[in-house]
Amino acid sequence: MPRRLRAVLAAFALLSCVDAAHAAVQDVRESASGIEYRVGDTRVKVDFVTDRIVHVTATRNAAWSASAHLMRVPVAERPGPVTAGDQGKDRVLRSARASVAVNRTTGALVFRDAAGTVLLREDAAAPRAFERVAVFKSAPDPASVATVKTVDGDRQVADRYVRTKDRDAWQATARFRLAGDEALYGLGFDETSDLDLRGKTKRLYQHNLRIVLPFVVSTRGYGVLFDTYSAMTFADGKTGMSVTSDVVDDLDYYVIVGPSMDGAIEGYRQLTGAATMLPRWAYGYVQSKERYKTQDEVVATVKAFRERRIPLDLIVQDWNYWTPDHWGSPVPDPSRYPDLGAMTRAVHDENAHVMISIWPNPTPLDAPGRELKEAGYLSGGTPYVDFFRLDAADAYFRNVWTYLGRHGIDAWWCDSTEPEVADWTWDPRRTAHADDVNVDGLARVMDPQYLNAYALVDAQHFMRNWRRQVPDKRLVNLTRSAYPGSQAAGAVAWTGDISATWPVFAQQVAAVQRYSASGNPYVTFDVGAFFTGRGQPWFMAGDFDKGVADLGYRELYARWLQFGVFLPMFRSHGTDTPREPWHFGAPGTPFYDAIVDAIQLRYRLLPAIYSQAGLVHLRGASFIRPVAFAFPDDPHTHDLKSQMLFGEGLMVSPVTTPMYYGPGSTPIEAAARTRDVYLPAGTWFDFWTGERLAGGRTIATAAPLARIPLHVRAGSIVPLGPVVQYASEPTDVPLELRIYPGADGTYTLYEDAGEGWGYERGEYALTDMRWDDAAHKLTIAGRRGTFPGMRAQRRFRVVVVGREDKAVDVVYDGRAMTIQP
C-alpha cells in the first residue's frame, strides 16, 4: 500500500476515534515525519526533524507564518521511518530515538526517549495559550531629538516618540510539567548568580549585563529551543515551567532528545549552526584596557610584553580612537593614529595581532555615518544601523573595511550590539521597573518581534562580508550580545560592563556556565571587571577606587585572571586603572608572579584548548560545562555554581573570596588558604601535586595565591605544550601527553593549519588515543586526515601521573602505535 494512502487512512482512523470519544482534537493530518491537528481554535504541527529532534509549532492564524527563522540552518540529517499508532488515549509517533504522544482530548504532547522514559510533558490542562497583541512602529519626533552626553558617549536621544499600529500578532505561551528531581540550565545569563533555573522567573531581553539564548537543557538529557526573537518571560514554579513570547506569529519550539546533556547541545548546534573555529592565535592571551590613546602606545605595549617575556597574541584598541566628539566613527583621529597600517605592521612584526572596537551608531559628522543616515540605513530614526537590512549591513561593512580593515586589522570588537540599554544612565539607583523600561526602549529602536536578534543579524552579515572580503582568514568578532546562531557567525560574547567586587566575580563563574549550557560555546568576560571603582551611576559599583594601587584589587585581579585561563577567549580588560601585568608589581612579587604564571599556564594548555575547539566545531562539544553535565544523577552537582568542568575531565574551582587583602589594602588576618571543592564519585587527581583523591565528597584543597585549585578526573589524557611567547611560535619540544590513571580513557587530538577555512573542507587531522588502565598502556591510533603544513612526524612525551620517572618519549609518524610507560 503506498505510504501516502496509509497516512490518509490512518488519519481517518484517528478522526473516527476522536469523533467516537467526542474529543477536542480535530482535522488530523499525518505525514511521513509527523502530524498536524486542530484543538479548539489552535492548529498544532509536530514534525521529526531528525530521529531525536522534534519541531512543534502552534498558531491561531489562518496560515502558518512565513516570517524569518533567523537562528535556523538547514539540517542535512533526516529522520528514519516515523511510525504512528494508538496507545490508550494517545496517538503516538515514534522514531528510532524518540517518541511523541498526542493526547486526543487536550492535544497536549508527551516526549519520551527511545526506552519510553518520559522526558518532558506539555501541561495537560493548558499546554499553550495565545493572547492577541497589537504591534506598533515607533519613530522619534524630530523636534524632540537632541545630542546628549551619556555613559556610552554622545548619543542622539528623543524625548518623544510617535507610535503607529503596524499589525496584530500574538503573545504566546508554552507550558510544561517537569520532574521534581531534574535541574535546568540555560537562557543565557543575567545579573544574578543563578545556575539551576528551577523555581526561577526570568525576563529575557538583551542588555549590557544580559544575553538571551532561548534554550534550556535538563539533567534528564533533553533540551528545548524556542525559535522566537521577541522579549520573553520564563517562569518555573509549582504549576510547572512556562515560556511566554511577547510578539510572535506562531508558537515555535524544538525538543532535542540528547540522550545526554552534551547530546542536547549537539542537537542545538545542528539546528542553529556549527560553531566556527577562531584562528589559533585567538586562543592566546588578549591584552586590552580602556584605553590605548595613540598608535605608538599600542605598539610600545606589545614590545613591552616581548621584552619582559610575557606571552601575548592579541592587543585591543578600544573606543575613542576617532576624532573627539565624533562618536562611533570608524575614521581614526589622524593626530593620534596617523598611519594605521604602520601600527598593524609593527604589531605583526612582533608576532601579535590587533583587534579594534567598532560601533553600530557612527556619527554623521564623518563620511561613513553621514552615508548611512542619508541613505536611510538607520533603524527607527535612531543612530543605530538597521542590520536587518542587507544593504545597510553591506554599507556599514564597506566603510569599516575602507577606514580600518584594509590597514591590517585582524579582529573586531562589535560593541553595543543590544543596541539600546534604556536604564544605562547616570542615575544612582536602578528603577524598580527596569525590565519594562528596557524592553520599551528596545521596541522603539526595532520591530518588537525581533528585538532580541539585533546582534545575531549584525554578526551574520559581518561574517558574510568578511568572508567575501578576506577569504583566507577566520573571523574573530567579540560582541556584547548574541543569540542562537551567533556561534556559527564567528561571535565571541562577553558579559558586559561588570564591577570589581568579589561577589560579582563569583556571579561571573555561574554566568559563563549558564551561557555555555545555553548552547553557544564562545564566552568571555573582562578579567578584573570593567569598573574597578564606584561612580555615580548604579552600575559603577566597584570596591577598589585606587585600582592597581590597592592590594585588595591586585588579589581579586590575580584570582580572576587564573579563572580566565579556562575560558575560550582569555582577555583582560577594564577602565579606571592599567591592566598590563607589570602594573601589579615587580617580578618576584606575589601578584606579578601569579599573573604571569597564569598566562604561562594558558600557553601550556593551548594544545588541549585548540584541540577542544576542533571538537566544539566538529562534534558540538563545549569548552565550559556545569559539573552536572558529567554527573546529572548527583544532586550535589545540580547547583554547584563555584566549580565547572573545562573540556571533559578538568575540574576548575576558582577562589572567589579574598584571603590576603580587603579593599583599601586592608590585611586579612588568619584567613584559611584553602577552599572547599566537591569531587563527584570516582578518582580524581590534584593537577598541581599529582595527589590521588577519592571522589564522592567535599575536600579542603590548598589555594595559595600562586595557583587556582584544579583537579583532573581519572582516565583523562591532557596534552600540554611548552611555554611559548605566542601561539604559533615554532618549537621542537615534545607534546606532553599527561595521563591520569585509575580508569580507562579516550582522547581525540585535533589539529589543523590554525588559520583559514580549510577545516570546513575537511583539512584537519584527528588522532584518537585510548588509555587501558588495567593493561597500563596507551594506544595511539593511526592519524585520520591531513592539512597544509602538517608535520609528517611529531614527538610525544607520555607521562603517567604518579609515575613521572617512567616517562616515555616516542616519535609518532601517523601510524598506530602502543606505548606502555
Side-chain angles (χ1 to χ4, degrees):
M1 185 183 297
R3 176 184 292 181
R4 184 179 299 276
L5 180 57
R6 288 200 307 268
V8 171
L9 292 176
F12 277 119
L14 179 58
L15 279 173
S16 299
C17 294
V18 169
D19 291 339
H22 304 289
V25 171
Q26 302 176 47
D27 300 339
V28 178
R29 299 177 183 176
E30 291 186 4
S31 69
S33 61
I35 188 171
E36 184 174 339
Y37 58 92
R38 181 170 61 84
V39 54
D41 52 4
T42 302
R43 288 198 299 155
V44 181
K45 184 163 52 177
V46 180
D47 191 63
F48 280 78
V49 180
T50 72
D51 282 343
R52 67 191 186 97
I53 301 177
V54 180
H55 186 196
V56 178
T57 47
T59 190
R60 287 191 177 173
N61 294 329
W64 295 104
S65 173
S67 58
H69 294 269
L70 300 172
M71 68 175 66
R72 278 295 313 277
V73 299
V75 177
E77 182 184 352
R78 292 290 181 266
V82 176
T83 63
D86 295 331
Q87 185 174 316
K89 296 180 179 180
D90 297 332
R91 185 69 171 172
V92 181
L93 289 80
R94 290 185 176 87
S95 73
R97 301 179 65 180
S99 70
V100 183
V102 182
N103 184 281
R104 293 192 188 96
T105 302
T106 65
L109 304 175
V110 178
F111 303 88
R112 292 178 170 89
D113 63 16
T117 302
V118 173
L119 299 177
L120 178 68
R121 299 176 181 270
E122 285 191 328
D123 189 313
R128 57 196 72 87
F130 291 86
E131 181 179 337
R132 181 62 80 179
V133 293
V135 182
F136 292 89
K137 283 185 176 180
S138 298
D141 178 352
S144 74
V145 175
T147 300
V148 300
K149 292 188 179 296
T150 73
V151 179
D152 278 341
D154 293 348
R155 300 289 178 100
Q156 289 180 296
V157 177
D159 282 340
R160 296 185 301 276
Y161 282 81
V162 178
R163 294 204 317 162
T164 57
K165 183 176 177 180
D166 183 56
R167 63 191 188 278
D168 287 320
W170 298 101
Q171 181 188 77
T173 300
R175 299 191 182 100
F176 304 91
R177 291 285 184 169
L178 307 183
D181 60 349
E182 69 182 296
L184 206 64
Y185 309 93
L187 300 180
F189 64 82
D190 54 23
E191 302 94 314
T192 72
S193 59
D194 295 336
L195 183 60
D196 181 5
L197 296 171
R198 298 303 308 274
K200 305 297 192 301
T201 298
K202 300 289 182 185
R203 188 70 169 129
L204 303 174
Y205 60 88
Q206 311 289 16
H207 186 274
N208 185 303
L209 300 174
R210 301 183 185 186
I211 292 180
V212 176
L213 296 173
F215 174 73
V216 291
V217 60
S218 165
T219 49
R220 293 177 69 83
Y222 69 86
V224 186
L225 172 66
F226 295 89
D227 189 350
T228 184
Y229 306 88
S230 72
M232 289 168 279
T233 300
F234 166 89
D236 180 61
K238 293 181 179 179
T239 59
M241 178 185 81
S242 66
V243 175
T244 299
S245 301
D246 284 10
V247 183
V248 295
D249 295 328
D250 302 338
L251 183 63
D252 195 324
Y253 69 87
Y254 296 82
V255 174
I256 305 165
V257 177
S260 65
M261 299 173 78
D262 291 314
I265 298 292
E266 181 185 9
Y268 168 96
R269 306 269 181 79
Q270 276 187 280
L271 292 169
T272 63
T276 59
M277 290 199 66
L278 308 182
R280 185 177 175 86
W281 51 261
Y283 300 95
Y285 177 61
V286 182
Q287 182 63 61
S288 180
K289 71 176 181 182
E290 198 283 306
R291 60 190 166 85
Y292 299 111
K293 297 180 179 179
T294 68
Q295 69 178 57
D296 290 341
E297 187 181 2
V298 171
V299 175
T301 301
V302 174
K303 290 183 176 180
F305 272 86
R306 297 291 181 244
E307 290 166 359
R308 291 171 168 83
R309 301 287 296 168
I310 304 174
L312 173 73
D313 266 280
L314 181 61
I315 187 110
V316 181
Q317 173 62 61
D318 199 359
W319 62 3
N320 278 306
Y321 53 82
W322 46 76
T323 300
D325 298 326
H326 286 220
W327 185 260
S329 174
V331 183
D333 181 354
S335 67
R336 294 179 293 119
Y337 299 86
D339 189 343
L340 204 64
M343 182 191 85
T344 58
R345 286 192 298 274
V347 172
H348 294 162
D349 287 344
E350 297 292 338
N351 295 297
H353 299 79
V354 179
M355 173 184 280
I356 198 164
S357 167
I358 55 175
W359 291 69
N361 55 325
T363 176
L365 296 176
D366 283 338
R370 190 159 52 249
E371 176 194 350
L372 292 165
K373 182 176 181 180
E374 292 175 354
Y377 288 153
L378 303 180
S379 180
T382 72
Y384 297 105
V385 178
D386 185 357
F387 288 118
F388 292 96
R389 293 180 53 182
L390 183 147
D391 50 358
D394 288 353
Y396 176 81
F397 182 87
R398 184 179 65 253
N399 281 298
V400 166
W401 179 258
T402 298
Y403 291 96
L404 298 173
R406 69 186 180 90
H407 297 294
I409 299 297
D410 304 288
W412 304 94
W413 183 355
C414 295
D415 208 334
S416 194
T417 49
E418 288 78 21
E420 173 68 25
V421 185
D423 70 340
W424 207 256
T425 67
W426 295 103
D427 293 341
R429 295 181 182 177
R430 195 175 195 184
T431 172
H433 306 289
D435 288 346
D436 294 337
V437 169
N438 289 320
V439 171
D440 289 347
L442 287 165
R444 288 197 300 265
V445 174
M446 69 196 94
D447 188 324
Q449 189 164 344
Y450 291 95
L451 61 76
N452 275 331
Y454 187 85
L456 173 61
V457 292
D458 178 14
Q460 289 171 335
H461 287 309
F462 204 94
M463 172 64 88
R464 177 176 55 82
N465 278 293
W466 175 261
R467 295 194 68 156
R468 183 171 56 188
Q469 186 71 55
V470 192
D472 59 343
K473 290 186 178 180
R474 301 174 190 174
L475 175 63
V476 179
N477 174 5
L478 178 66
T479 186
R480 200 170 67 192
S481 190
Y483 216 59
S486 293
Q487 78 284 350
V492 181
W494 97 96
T495 58
D497 297 338
I498 51 181
S499 295
T501 71
W502 286 95
V504 168
F505 175 32
Q507 179 267 337
Q508 291 286 289
V509 176
V512 296
Q513 292 185 69
R514 264 189 62 198
Y515 184 89
S516 182
S518 305
N520 285 16
Y522 283 99
V523 63
T524 188
F525 47 44
D526 294 349
V527 165
F530 186 71
F531 300 110
T532 58
R534 194 168 298 273
Q536 176 185 340
W538 62 268
F539 47 82
M540 292 184 183
D543 284 341
F544 304 94
D545 291 335
K546 295 183 178 179
V548 294
D550 190 327
L551 297 179
Y553 180 68
R554 293 188 184 192
E555 182 181 353
L556 173 64
Y557 182 89
R559 294 301 198 185
W560 211 315
L561 189 82
Q562 288 170 343
F563 181 59
V565 168
F566 300 95
L567 267 58
M569 179 173 279
F570 179 34
R571 164 183 161 272
S572 172
H573 179 69
T575 191
D576 304 334
T577 196
R579 302 300 171 114
E580 297 82 12
W582 48 89
H583 293 291
F584 292 81
T589 58
F591 298 114
Y592 177 92
D593 286 355
I595 289 167
V596 173
D597 286 350
I599 296 173
Q600 290 179 341
L601 175 63
R602 173 71 173 201
Y603 281 80
R604 289 218 67 197
L605 287 166
L606 269 183
I609 293 168
Y610 194 74
S611 189
Q612 188 67 19
L615 302 184
V616 165
H617 169 73
L618 289 175
R619 301 178 182 175
S622 303
F623 295 98
I624 294 168
R625 301 158 73 219
V627 180
F629 269 55
F631 301 93
D633 297 326
D634 182 348
H636 291 94
T637 71
H638 286 183
D639 205 27
L640 190 56
K641 303 174 184 181
S642 64
Q643 298 173 221
M644 74 176 195
L645 294 172
F646 187 76
E648 289 297 316
L650 196 60
M651 178 80 77
V652 184
S653 305
V655 175
T656 57
T657 56
M659 295 180 176
Y660 297 85
Y661 295 96
S665 301
T666 305
I668 297 175
E669 302 296 338
R673 305 288 160 81
T674 62
R675 71 145 286 178
D676 288 345
V677 172
Y678 178 70
L679 298 178
T683 300
W684 297 81
F685 290 83
D686 186 302
F687 176 85
W688 302 105
T689 66
E691 180 185 3
R692 188 169 182 149
L693 300 161
R697 62 191 178 118
T698 297
I699 65 167
T701 191
L705 181 67
R707 65 183 192 233
I708 183 173
L710 295 176
H711 295 87
V712 190
R713 194 177 182 182
S716 297
I717 301 172
V718 181
L720 296 174
V723 175
V724 291
Q725 293 305 298
Y726 54 95
S728 61
E729 183 178 11
T731 176
D732 290 329
V733 176
L735 182 67
E736 180 179 321
L737 301 177
R738 188 177 292 187
I739 298 169
Y740 291 83
D744 294 342
T746 60
Y747 185 75
T748 299
L749 180 68
Y750 172 94
E751 300 172 284
D752 67 15
E755 182 57 282
W757 301 99
Y759 72 91
E760 293 181 338
R761 301 186 295 270
E763 295 175 5
Y764 56 84
L766 300 174
T767 305
D768 295 324
M769 305 177 189
R770 182 170 57 84
W771 171 251
D772 185 328
D773 198 62
H776 206 76
K777 67 180 181 182
L778 175 69
T779 299
I780 304 177
R783 184 192 293 131
R784 294 178 286 135
T786 185
F787 58 89
M790 185 180 76
R791 298 180 185 180
Q793 294 183 334
R794 69 176 311 155
R795 291 189 294 155
F796 292 132
R797 183 174 179 81
V798 181
V799 178
V800 178
V801 173
R803 299 185 61 186
E804 284 81 358
D805 58 328
K806 303 291 186 181
V808 175
D809 290 326
V810 299
V811 176
Y812 177 68
D813 63 5
R815 291 178 293 182
M817 63 188 309
T818 298
I819 305 112
Q820 195 149 16

